[in-house]
Amino acid sequence: MEKMSMSHEDYLEAIVMLGGTTEASVRSVDIATKLGVSKASVNKAVTSLKEKGLADQPYYGDITLTEEGYAYGTSVLDRHHMLFSFLTKALGIPEEQAEREACLMEHAISDESFEKWSSYIKKLDL
């Protein structure tokens, strides 16, 4: 899957975190609250996600993800959880710091590097 901007990845991740799927929708106001942005910013981002075929939203309705959008959002969230767990459990980094750094790392690491790192971590049973 082609990488997209950090911002768009954050929106997809937030939608998944809020319970959004291909079937379950989320409200734009909830996304705005989760990300600390305005509803106008959410509307702009969702329009872009719709253009990429990652989200659906009827006129002024709630937002659902396409299968591709859900898969992408879930993969970002999975990366975040694995990175956070590694930083806190394996390295002993405080949770607040690990949360910030996992968020940055989840966007920067390539799919290939993440897969290799993930395989290595699983062998360590962390």
PDB file of all heavy atoms in Angstrom, residues 52-71:
ATOM      1  N   LYS A  52      -9.259   9.433  -2.237  1.00  0.00           N
ATOM      2  CA  LYS A  52      -8.296   8.333  -2.334  1.00  0.00           C
ATOM      3  C   LYS A  52      -8.983   6.970  -2.224  1.00  0.00           C
ATOM      4  O   LYS A  52      -8.325   5.931  -2.266  1.00  0.00           O
ATOM      5  CB  LYS A  52      -7.239   8.458  -1.230  1.00  0.00           C
ATOM      6  CG  LYS A  52      -6.340   9.672  -1.360  1.00  0.00           C
ATOM      7  CD  LYS A  52      -5.410   9.763  -0.154  1.00  0.00           C
ATOM      8  CE  LYS A  52      -4.645  11.047  -0.090  1.00  0.00           C
ATOM      9  NZ  LYS A  52      -3.571  11.173  -1.043  1.00  0.00           N
ATOM     10  N   GLY A  53     -10.287   6.970  -2.008  1.00  0.00           N
ATOM     11  CA  GLY A  53     -11.023   5.718  -1.892  1.00  0.00           C
ATOM     12  C   GLY A  53     -10.862   5.028  -0.555  1.00  0.00           C
ATOM     13  O   GLY A  53     -11.037   3.817  -0.445  1.00  0.00           O
ATOM     14  N   LEU A  54     -10.542   5.808   0.495  1.00  0.00           N
ATOM     15  CA  LEU A  54     -10.296   5.230   1.819  1.00  0.00           C
ATOM     16  C   LEU A  54     -11.441   5.443   2.798  1.00  0.00           C
ATOM     17  O   LEU A  54     -11.491   4.779   3.837  1.00  0.00           O
ATOM     18  CB  LEU A  54      -9.003   5.811   2.397  1.00  0.00           C
ATOM     19  CG  LEU A  54      -7.752   5.557   1.553  1.00  0.00           C
ATOM     20  CD1 LEU A  54      -6.572   6.356   2.086  1.00  0.00           C
ATOM     21  CD2 LEU A  54      -7.436   4.078   1.516  1.00  0.00           C
ATOM     22  N   ALA A  55     -12.328   6.374   2.498  1.00  0.00           N
ATOM     23  CA  ALA A  55     -13.433   6.680   3.415  1.00  0.00           C
ATOM     24  C   ALA A  55     -14.691   6.989   2.612  1.00  0.00           C
ATOM     25  O   ALA A  55     -14.627   7.374   1.437  1.00  0.00           O
ATOM     26  CB  ALA A  55     -13.073   7.868   4.304  1.00  0.00           C
ATOM     27  N   ASP A  56     -15.818   6.817   3.271  1.00  0.00           N
ATOM     28  CA  ASP A  56     -17.125   7.162   2.703  1.00  0.00           C
ATOM     29  C   ASP A  56     -17.843   8.071   3.677  1.00  0.00           C
ATOM     30  O   ASP A  56     -17.716   7.913   4.900  1.00  0.00           O
ATOM     31  CB  ASP A  56     -17.978   5.907   2.481  1.00  0.00           C
ATOM     32  CG  ASP A  56     -17.448   5.027   1.375  1.00  0.00           C
ATOM     33  OD1 ASP A  56     -17.054   5.569   0.320  1.00  0.00           O
ATOM     34  OD2 ASP A  56     -17.434   3.794   1.562  1.00  0.00           O
ATOM     35  N   GLN A  57     -18.593   9.020   3.132  1.00  0.00           N
ATOM     36  CA  GLN A  57     -19.391   9.913   3.972  1.00  0.00           C
ATOM     37  C   GLN A  57     -20.514  10.486   3.120  1.00  0.00           C
ATOM     38  O   GLN A  57     -20.262  11.218   2.165  1.00  0.00           O
ATOM     39  CB  GLN A  57     -18.539  11.049   4.533  1.00  0.00           C
ATOM     40  CG  GLN A  57     -19.310  11.999   5.416  1.00  0.00           C
ATOM     41  CD  GLN A  57     -18.485  13.207   5.847  1.00  0.00           C
ATOM     42  OE1 GLN A  57     -17.626  13.675   5.121  1.00  0.00           O
ATOM     43  NE2 GLN A  57     -18.764  13.695   7.039  1.00  0.00           N
ATOM     44  N   PRO A  58     -21.750  10.149   3.472  1.00  0.00           N
ATOM     45  CA  PRO A  58     -22.851  10.802   2.764  1.00  0.00           C
ATOM     46  C   PRO A  58     -22.859  12.291   3.101  1.00  0.00           C
ATOM     47  O   PRO A  58     -22.228  12.710   4.077  1.00  0.00           O
ATOM     48  CB  PRO A  58     -24.095  10.099   3.305  1.00  0.00           C
ATOM     49  CG  PRO A  58     -23.671   9.408   4.542  1.00  0.00           C
ATOM     50  CD  PRO A  58     -22.194   9.229   4.495  1.00  0.00           C
ATOM     51  N   TYR A  59     -23.531  13.074   2.327  1.00  0.00           N
ATOM     52  CA  TYR A  59     -23.578  14.514   2.527  1.00  0.00           C
ATOM     53  C   TYR A  59     -23.885  14.848   3.990  1.00  0.00           C
ATOM     54  O   TYR A  59     -24.946  14.515   4.501  1.00  0.00           O
ATOM     55  CB  TYR A  59     -24.632  15.123   1.598  1.00  0.00           C
ATOM     56  CG  TYR A  59     -24.592  16.618   1.530  1.00  0.00           C
ATOM     57  CD1 TYR A  59     -23.503  17.274   0.974  1.00  0.00           C
ATOM     58  CD2 TYR A  59     -25.638  17.378   2.026  1.00  0.00           C
ATOM     59  CE1 TYR A  59     -23.459  18.651   0.906  1.00  0.00           C
ATOM     60  CE2 TYR A  59     -25.608  18.756   1.957  1.00  0.00           C
ATOM     61  CZ  TYR A  59     -24.518  19.394   1.400  1.00  0.00           C
ATOM     62  OH  TYR A  59     -24.477  20.768   1.331  1.00  0.00           O
ATOM     63  N   TYR A  60     -22.914  15.436   4.668  1.00  0.00           N
ATOM     64  CA  TYR A  60     -22.999  15.814   6.087  1.00  0.00           C
ATOM     65  C   TYR A  60     -23.333  14.641   7.014  1.00  0.00           C
ATOM     66  O   TYR A  60     -23.871  14.817   8.093  1.00  0.00           O
ATOM     67  CB  TYR A  60     -23.992  16.960   6.310  1.00  0.00           C
ATOM     68  CG  TYR A  60     -23.473  18.274   5.840  1.00  0.00           C
ATOM     69  CD1 TYR A  60     -23.988  18.867   4.689  1.00  0.00           C
ATOM     70  CD2 TYR A  60     -22.459  18.923   6.519  1.00  0.00           C
ATOM     71  CE1 TYR A  60     -23.502  20.091   4.243  1.00  0.00           C
ATOM     72  CE2 TYR A  60     -21.964  20.142   6.077  1.00  0.00           C
ATOM     73  CZ  TYR A  60     -22.488  20.713   4.937  1.00  0.00           C
ATOM     74  OH  TYR A  60     -22.005  21.914   4.506  1.00  0.00           O
ATOM     75  N   GLY A  61     -23.012  13.429   6.598  1.00  0.00           N
ATOM     76  CA  GLY A  61     -23.276  12.262   7.423  1.00  0.00           C
ATOM     77  C   GLY A  61     -22.028  11.815   8.174  1.00  0.00           C
ATOM     78  O   GLY A  61     -20.987  12.464   8.155  1.00  0.00           O
ATOM     79  N   ASP A  62     -22.177  10.707   8.844  1.00  0.00           N
ATOM     80  CA  ASP A  62     -21.056  10.135   9.595  1.00  0.00           C
ATOM     81  C   ASP A  62     -20.105   9.416   8.642  1.00  0.00           C
ATOM     82  O   ASP A  62     -20.451   9.097   7.504  1.00  0.00           O
ATOM     83  CB  ASP A  62     -21.577   9.188  10.666  1.00  0.00           C
ATOM     84  CG  ASP A  62     -22.350   9.926  11.761  1.00  0.00           C
ATOM     85  OD1 ASP A  62     -22.157  11.148  11.900  1.00  0.00           O
ATOM     86  OD2 ASP A  62     -23.138   9.268  12.467  1.00  0.00           O
ATOM     87  N   ILE A  63     -18.918   9.139   9.126  1.00  0.00           N
ATOM     88  CA  ILE A  63     -17.828   8.641   8.298  1.00  0.00           C
ATOM     89  C   ILE A  63     -17.613   7.154   8.543  1.00  0.00           C
ATOM     90  O   ILE A  63     -17.520   6.706   9.685  1.00  0.00           O
ATOM     91  CB  ILE A  63     -16.539   9.419   8.630  1.00  0.00           C
ATOM     92  CG1 ILE A  63     -16.762  10.900   8.371  1.00  0.00           C
ATOM     93  CG2 ILE A  63     -15.349   8.888   7.848  1.00  0.00           C
ATOM     94  CD1 ILE A  63     -15.991  11.797   9.299  1.00  0.00           C
ATOM     95  N   THR A  64     -17.520   6.398   7.463  1.00  0.00           N
ATOM     96  CA  THR A  64     -17.117   4.994   7.523  1.00  0.00           C
ATOM     97  C   THR A  64     -15.868   4.841   6.658  1.00  0.00           C
ATOM     98  O   THR A  64     -15.549   5.715   5.850  1.00  0.00           O
ATOM     99  CB  THR A  64     -18.211   4.035   6.997  1.00  0.00           C
ATOM    100  OG1 THR A  64     -18.556   4.409   5.675  1.00  0.00           O
ATOM    101  CG2 THR A  64     -19.435   4.041   7.890  1.00  0.00           C
ATOM    102  N   LEU A  65     -15.175   3.753   6.846  1.00  0.00           N
ATOM    103  CA  LEU A  65     -13.975   3.477   6.065  1.00  0.00           C
ATOM    104  C   LEU A  65     -14.276   2.440   4.997  1.00  0.00           C
ATOM    105  O   LEU A  65     -15.118   1.563   5.198  1.00  0.00           O
ATOM    106  CB  LEU A  65     -12.860   2.963   6.978  1.00  0.00           C
ATOM    107  CG  LEU A  65     -12.359   3.953   8.023  1.00  0.00           C
ATOM    108  CD1 LEU A  65     -11.398   3.272   8.988  1.00  0.00           C
ATOM    109  CD2 LEU A  65     -11.683   5.145   7.352  1.00  0.00           C
ATOM    110  N   THR A  66     -13.575   2.541   3.883  1.00  0.00           N
ATOM    111  CA  THR A  66     -13.633   1.476   2.888  1.00  0.00           C
ATOM    112  C   THR A  66     -12.765   0.332   3.416  1.00  0.00           C
ATOM    113  O   THR A  66     -12.055   0.496   4.414  1.00  0.00           O
ATOM    114  CB  THR A  66     -13.082   1.961   1.536  1.00  0.00           C
ATOM    115  OG1 THR A  66     -11.700   2.291   1.702  1.00  0.00           O
ATOM    116  CG2 THR A  66     -13.864   3.165   1.014  1.00  0.00           C
ATOM    117  N   GLU A  67     -12.807  -0.794   2.746  1.00  0.00           N
ATOM    118  CA  GLU A  67     -11.963  -1.911   3.191  1.00  0.00           C
ATOM    119  C   GLU A  67     -10.497  -1.504   3.181  1.00  0.00           C
ATOM    120  O   GLU A  67      -9.751  -1.824   4.108  1.00  0.00           O
ATOM    121  CB  GLU A  67     -12.210  -3.139   2.317  1.00  0.00           C
ATOM    122  CG  GLU A  67     -13.545  -3.788   2.613  1.00  0.00           C
ATOM    123  CD  GLU A  67     -13.714  -5.127   1.919  1.00  0.00           C
ATOM    124  OE1 GLU A  67     -12.710  -5.800   1.642  1.00  0.00           O
ATOM    125  OE2 GLU A  67     -14.871  -5.495   1.683  1.00  0.00           O
ATOM    126  N   GLU A  68     -10.069  -0.800   2.136  1.00  0.00           N
ATOM    127  CA  GLU A  68      -8.682  -0.354   2.049  1.00  0.00           C
ATOM    128  C   GLU A  68      -8.356   0.653   3.154  1.00  0.00           C
ATOM    129  O   GLU A  68      -7.289   0.599   3.763  1.00  0.00           O
ATOM    130  CB  GLU A  68      -8.397   0.260   0.673  1.00  0.00           C
ATOM    131  CG  GLU A  68      -6.949   0.624   0.476  1.00  0.00           C
ATOM    132  CD  GLU A  68      -6.659   1.203  -0.908  1.00  0.00           C
ATOM    133  OE1 GLU A  68      -7.569   1.285  -1.744  1.00  0.00           O
ATOM    134  OE2 GLU A  68      -5.502   1.593  -1.123  1.00  0.00           O
ATOM    135  N   GLY A  69      -9.288   1.566   3.429  1.00  0.00           N
ATOM    136  CA  GLY A  69      -9.080   2.552   4.488  1.00  0.00           C
ATOM    137  C   GLY A  69      -8.993   1.908   5.857  1.00  0.00           C
ATOM    138  O   GLY A  69      -8.161   2.291   6.683  1.00  0.00           O
ATOM    139  N   TYR A  70      -9.849   0.918   6.088  1.00  0.00           N
ATOM    140  CA  TYR A  70      -9.820   0.219   7.372  1.00  0.00           C
ATOM    141  C   TYR A  70      -8.517  -0.558   7.531  1.00  0.00           C
ATOM    142  O   TYR A  70      -7.896  -0.537   8.601  1.00  0.00           O
ATOM    143  CB  TYR A  70     -11.031  -0.705   7.507  1.00  0.00           C
ATOM    144  CG  TYR A  70     -11.090  -1.405   8.842  1.00  0.00           C
ATOM    145  CD1 TYR A  70     -11.383  -0.678   9.998  1.00  0.00           C
ATOM    146  CD2 TYR A  70     -10.819  -2.754   8.950  1.00  0.00           C
ATOM    147  CE1 TYR A  70     -11.417  -1.310  11.244  1.00  0.00           C
ATOM    148  CE2 TYR A  70     -10.860  -3.395  10.183  1.00  0.00           C
ATOM    149  CZ  TYR A  70     -11.159  -2.663  11.319  1.00  0.00           C
ATOM    150  OH  TYR A  70     -11.187  -3.291  12.545  1.00  0.00           O
ATOM    151  N   ALA A  71      -8.084  -1.224   6.471  1.00  0.00           N
ATOM    152  CA  ALA A  71      -6.827  -1.973   6.529  1.00  0.00           C
ATOM    153  C   ALA A  71      -5.653  -1.030   6.799  1.00  0.00           C
ATOM    154  O   ALA A  71      -4.780  -1.342   7.617  1.00  0.00           O
ATOM    155  CB  ALA A  71      -6.606  -2.743   5.219  1.00  0.00           C
TER     156      ALA A  71
END
